[in-house]
Amino acid sequence: MHPQTPVLVTTGAEANDQLLYFTSSSLSGDDDCLVFISDRSGHPNLYAKHLPDGKEVQLSANTEGTLKSYVYFNGRPHRGFGKASVSFDAAGRTLYYLQGDDIVRCGLDGQRRVLGQIPPGQVTAFTHVSADGRRLCIPTTDARALEAENFVNDAPNYSVGDEGKKNEVIADKPDYDIDARVQAENLGSWLNVYDTHSGALIARERVERAWITHVQFSPTDPGLILYNHEWPGDCGIRRMWIWNGREHIRLRHEGEGRTRRDWTCHEMWEADGSHIIYHGKYENGQAYVGRVDPTGRHTTEIALPLAYHRYGHFTAGNRHANWLVSDGYFHPEQTPENANWGGEWISLQRVDWAAQRIAWQPLCEHRSIWDCQDSHPHPIFNHADSAIYFTSNASGRRAVYRVAVPA
């Protein structure tokens, strides 16, 4: 094992810099421009860095702090920059984000235009733009779901088998079970689909008794939207769904070793749209990586070695259907663990789904402290699958790093 030394990409002095949420690329389609979030202005804002010459430009003009949304529970209601709301149309070199209740379209030159507003009385979460750049999906939930008088820095109330998340710190999380409130009070969420040029509402689908926080268009069919139920008590079967414009399809079912008491998370489309990858832990505590087709009928799951239990994420490759990258789980033999609850390595996985085998290749230590959502490494491939970008606060502040993918 010969780990690399990662390259520092953003250099914001005393500022905190981070990638966009990993279901959106942070790189333009030509891999020549990096988009990131930084607080160097005193407030969270979007920045673009032209990688060939290092030139940076501030894209947004936020002066109102952070918008309240999923993960940013103690943000400002209806005001501020939506850190969870940014989606990047990499090919079209156009960004979408929320400033308060405004839906903003922004080019890499900083030219901005308000497309519209989210519906009143609702809160938002992670968004997504279609691969053709024509549709934007913004999930919203009845605001009552996140109305709280008291907050805690503690883990949410996951399913029984979720030993992997029990030590996660969620900054200023409401001190009640959000999904339980959603179920008891019959609250709901909406899948709101907007035209990215006119701002017109194309579709608005209500999902009853659901708290939706992650949405993703199929990379090959914008009529298919992958979405979740967040922190459900029966996470093993209620986490992952497809809406195809006509019906809602559950993607994971009990049977063949799977139960409702498993923990399942971080669903993501493969680049060719043929499958969705995800990961989690079985009820007995053993971690796994899974793959399912959009009908939910064909599932493959690979149990990981027992030593691979440290939390992380998996992101799919762009040009290699069987490649994944992770910021957790991998753990060298006979190496002591640090005090963090999350993983320590950026590692490449080459997966043989048919044979249910994974070849793990550690690339570098990310050394992030995992002290909040923004310091999660959230690694992503560039579009050429030749490099991996990730966030780390190993230096005491958040910054974006890059590591090469060996030939």
Side-chain angles (χ1 to χ4, degrees):
M1 185 170 65
H2 301 286
Q4 303 177 45
T5 299
V7 176
L8 179 65
V9 179
T10 60
T11 54
E14 298 303 314
N16 287 290
D17 304 332
Q18 67 192 77
L19 294 176
L20 310 183
Y21 192 67
F22 72 106
T23 51
S24 171
S25 179
S26 293
L27 292 153
S28 60
D30 295 330
D31 289 333
D32 66 330
C33 187
L34 174 76
V35 178
F36 61 99
I37 299 170
S38 178
D39 62 6
R40 61 187 65 183
S41 70
H43 297 267
N45 273 294
L46 270 178
Y47 291 79
K49 179 171 185 138
H50 187 241
L51 296 175
D53 60 16
K55 181 180 179 181
E56 293 182 352
V57 60
Q58 182 174 332
L59 302 179
S60 60
N62 173 51
T63 59
E64 297 182 313
T66 300
L67 176 69
K68 178 180 181 178
S69 71
Y70 168 62
V71 185
Y72 304 98
F73 298 107
N74 209 15
R76 303 185 69 183
H78 311 294
R79 298 182 67 181
F81 177 75
K83 294 175 76 173
S85 73
V86 188
S87 291
F88 190 18
D89 171 10
R93 302 174 77 86
T94 305
L95 292 139
Y96 301 89
Y97 65 91
L98 293 177
Q99 181 67 39
D101 289 341
D102 288 342
I103 305 167
V104 181
R105 173 187 168 112
C106 179
L108 292 182
D109 57 0
Q111 294 296 308
R112 300 182 296 273
R113 177 164 63 95
V114 174
L115 292 177
Q117 288 76 38
I118 64 167
Q122 294 172 40
V123 289
T124 62
F126 297 114
T127 73
H128 201 250
V129 61
S130 59
D132 61 10
R134 296 179 179 178
R135 302 183 188 187
L136 176 69
C137 185
I138 301 177
T140 60
T141 302
D142 291 322
R144 167 65 180 161
L146 301 188
E147 287 179 0
E149 296 181 359
N150 299 307
F151 298 88
V152 294
N153 284 318
D154 202 351
N157 205 3
Y158 289 93
S159 59
V160 174
D162 181 14
E163 294 302 313
K165 295 277 283 192
K166 68 179 182 180
N167 295 319
E168 180 179 4
V169 173
I170 302 292
D172 297 317
K173 172 190 172 288
D175 63 352
Y176 55 84
D177 186 318
I178 299 172
D179 179 64
R181 173 181 284 188
V182 167
Q183 302 307 308
E185 300 185 18
N186 197 29
L187 305 178
S189 292
W190 285 263
L191 300 171
N192 303 283
V193 181
Y194 298 90
D195 183 287
T196 57
H197 292 275
S198 69
L201 184 64
I202 298 173
R204 189 161 191 256
E205 174 76 357
R206 179 170 171 84
V207 185
E208 300 290 344
R209 298 173 69 186
W211 178 30
I212 298 174
T213 61
H214 296 65
V215 293
Q216 295 165 66
F217 290 99
S218 162
T220 57
D221 182 356
L224 298 180
I225 297 178
L226 173 67
Y227 71 93
N228 75 324
H229 287 221
E230 190 62 65
W231 299 347
D234 48 354
C235 190
I237 61 171
R238 193 155 54 94
R239 167 75 190 201
M240 302 186 298
W241 296 80
I242 291 279
W243 180 51
N244 62 15
R246 304 177 305 277
E247 59 183 340
H248 296 265
I249 302 170
R250 187 193 302 269
L251 291 181
R252 193 173 189 267
H253 307 268
E254 289 189 294
E256 299 180 330
R258 300 182 295 273
T259 80
R260 66 187 57 228
R261 292 178 295 277
D262 299 335
W263 165 54
T264 301
C265 73
H266 295 142
E267 58 287 336
M268 170 180 277
W269 288 98
E270 290 186 342
D272 65 0
S274 65
H275 291 84
I276 295 103
I277 61 113
Y278 58 95
H279 69 105
K281 285 195 174 183
Y282 294 116
E283 185 179 4
N284 65 6
Q286 187 168 14
Y288 67 87
V289 174
R291 184 184 195 229
V292 63
D293 78 311
T295 70
R297 296 172 185 162
H298 306 289
T299 301
T300 303
E301 292 184 352
I302 304 174
L304 305 186
L306 293 177
Y308 289 23
H309 64 88
R310 301 290 291 277
Y311 177 79
H313 310 79
F314 288 90
T315 308
N318 293 302
R319 295 192 177 184
H320 299 81
N322 64 327
W323 282 18
L324 303 175
V325 62
S326 180
D327 50 11
Y329 295 101
F330 173 81
H331 188 69
E333 294 182 7
Q334 300 177 338
T335 301
E337 295 182 346
N338 64 24
N340 299 328
W341 59 271
E344 304 170 57
W345 289 81
I346 300 295
S347 62
L348 180 68
Q349 295 78 47
R350 294 179 176 87
V351 187
D352 184 334
W353 291 104
Q356 295 188 276
R357 290 197 302 264
I358 303 176
W360 293 75
Q361 183 174 7
L363 301 180
C364 70
E365 292 183 89
H366 58 71
R367 296 172 44 233
S368 199
I369 300 174
W370 298 89
D371 56 346
C372 68
Q373 173 74 20
D374 294 342
S375 68
H376 292 191
H378 289 152
I380 60 166
F381 289 95
N382 65 357
H383 291 89
D385 282 356
S386 61
I388 290 164
Y389 288 74
F390 62 93
T391 303
S392 174
N393 61 357
S395 69
R397 62 177 179 83
R398 293 189 297 276
V400 177
Y401 295 82
R402 181 180 64 243
V403 63
V405 175

